[in-house]
Amino acid sequence: MSNSYIGYHFTVEPKELGTEILIAQLGETAFESFIETEDGFSAYIQKELWTADVLEDVYVMQSPEFTISYNYEEIEQVNWNEEWEKNFEPIDVDGMCHVRAPFHPKTDAEFDIVIEPKMSFGTGHHETTHMMIQHLLAMDVNNMKTLDMGCGTAILAILAEMKGAQPIDAIDIDNWCYLNSIENAERNNCSQITVYEGEADLLKGKQYDLIIANINRNILLNDMQQYVDCLNDNGILLLSGFYTEDIPFIDASCVEKGLTFVTQLERNNWVSLKYIK
């Protein structure tokens, strides 16, 4: 097998949703690894599988909703660990939670989480994940039956278990996220997390004390009733993955379904909301 790769470097606006959709579509082609960057992400394909029209059927590239630009280069013998080291810096959330890759040194933070991000997002670098970590750090989740919906790397499920939540379901529609979540749960010695591949229809008949949903506005609005239906009385719903201007739509949906607003966090125009049933 060839060790040469073609690396595509994408700039995406708006970044979060556009990147999510573009990676999902590239994942259906021969691209095999994705690394988040400040303005978008880099994607890699083996040179022997590359063709000049590799992006031709990636329809989001032509979508008027997103501005996507890119350049590409040939890369000899990609050292993936080296790529991660260049692109994944450890982060600290409020001095309590340290999120790092396996090649970073351990710290004495109360919650030290090791994430091998691979193609999944949710390393803690993004504002939405950062705020969800802050919510969890401020809560007593001991013995709360928990759902991490759209789990990505399972970082939030892992933190929830570290804080005493159990049992925990982690669900993601993306196969790579599903596999990566299993790996990360094992890497952090988690025994209470069960990972599922699928959508909100997996929630039928389930009940939770805490639901964490860091997705995007449209999916949240579409699935909100299912979240509320499987939330126990006095259960907590943590939401993120949307902008400040989306608050009225999210809040109206929550209130209409009987939830009570508790608090919100904001970070660079991204928002995270907390509700109670």
Side-chain angles (χ1 to χ4, degrees):
M1 182 180 289
S2 167
N3 286 321
S4 295
Y5 281 78
I6 305 294
Y8 278 73
H9 309 295
F10 292 94
T11 298
V12 185
E13 181 64 38
K15 181 184 171 185
E16 178 77 358
L17 181 57
T19 293
E20 182 179 321
I21 294 172
L22 182 51
I23 284 181
Q25 292 178 17
L26 290 177
E28 295 174 0
T29 67
F31 284 91
E32 63 181 57
S33 193
F34 301 80
I35 298 176
E36 186 173 8
T37 61
E38 186 176 340
D39 301 317
F41 66 97
S42 295
Y44 298 89
I45 181 173
Q46 289 183 40
K47 184 179 179 183
E48 62 189 28
L49 300 177
W50 178 84
T51 59
D53 62 353
V54 67
L55 300 179
E56 191 173 294
D57 295 327
V58 181
Y59 64 84
V60 72
M61 297 288 295
Q62 284 76 48
S63 171
E65 294 182 45
F66 306 102
T67 302
I68 300 173
S69 60
Y70 66 91
N71 57 65
Y72 63 91
E73 60 179 336
E74 183 171 341
I75 302 171
E76 295 290 337
Q77 298 183 337
V78 176
N79 180 328
W80 294 115
N81 282 341
E82 193 176 282
E83 290 297 313
W84 290 128
E85 288 197 46
K86 284 195 301 187
N87 290 280
F88 182 27
E89 294 297 321
I91 66 158
D92 180 274
V93 181
D94 299 342
M96 296 173 64
C97 181
H98 190 249
V99 184
R100 61 185 176 90
F103 47 77
H104 293 138
K106 189 179 189 305
T107 71
D108 57 1
E110 184 177 358
F111 304 105
D112 183 73
I113 301 177
V114 182
I115 295 293
E116 183 76 76
K118 294 190 176 177
M119 285 166 52
S120 312
F121 285 83
T123 57
H125 290 79
H126 194 271
E127 286 87 344
T128 60
T129 314
H130 192 104
M131 289 183 292
M132 292 295 243
I133 290 173
Q134 288 181 302
H135 274 306
L136 289 172
L137 290 175
M139 293 173 59
D140 178 4
V141 300
N142 198 45
N143 292 321
M144 292 181 92
K145 187 174 182 184
T146 299
L147 167 67
D148 182 3
M149 192 70 194
C151 57
T153 60
I155 182 174
L156 300 175
I158 291 165
L159 177 58
E161 174 165 339
M162 287 180 172
K163 293 204 71 194
Q166 63 168 329
I168 301 166
D169 289 342
I171 298 175
D172 204 289
I173 191 173
D174 182 84
N175 178 256
W176 196 285
C177 291
Y178 163 74
L179 297 173
N180 190 218
S181 291
I182 293 172
E183 180 182 336
N184 286 326
E186 292 174 349
R187 187 182 294 277
N188 289 275
N189 300 311
C190 293
S191 60
Q192 297 297 323
I193 298 171
T194 305
V195 185
Y196 299 92
E197 182 178 356
E199 302 181 61
D201 55 4
L202 291 175
L203 303 179
K204 196 168 183 181
K206 302 259 193 175
Q207 291 297 128
Y208 301 98
D209 304 307
L210 171 64
I211 296 177
I212 304 161
N214 183 14
I215 315 179
N216 66 61
R217 187 189 90 167
N218 293 338
I219 293 176
L220 290 176
L221 291 173
N222 185 68
D223 295 343
M224 192 72 73
Q225 188 63 59
Q226 286 158 289
Y227 303 154
V228 175
D229 288 346
C230 63
L231 193 62
N232 289 325
D233 289 343
N234 298 312
I236 299 292
L237 177 63
L238 299 178
L239 301 171
S240 199
F242 50 91
Y243 297 104
T244 309
E245 52 265 32
D246 296 321
I247 292 176
F249 304 100
I250 298 291
D251 185 65
S253 177
C254 290
V255 172
E256 174 195 37
K257 294 170 179 60
L259 300 181
T260 301
F261 170 78
V262 179
T263 188
Q264 80 179 53
L265 299 174
E266 289 187 39
R267 191 176 174 88
N268 297 330
N269 202 40
W270 292 92
V271 181
S272 182
L273 303 177
K274 178 180 179 180
Y275 289 87
I276 189 168
K277 185 173 179 180

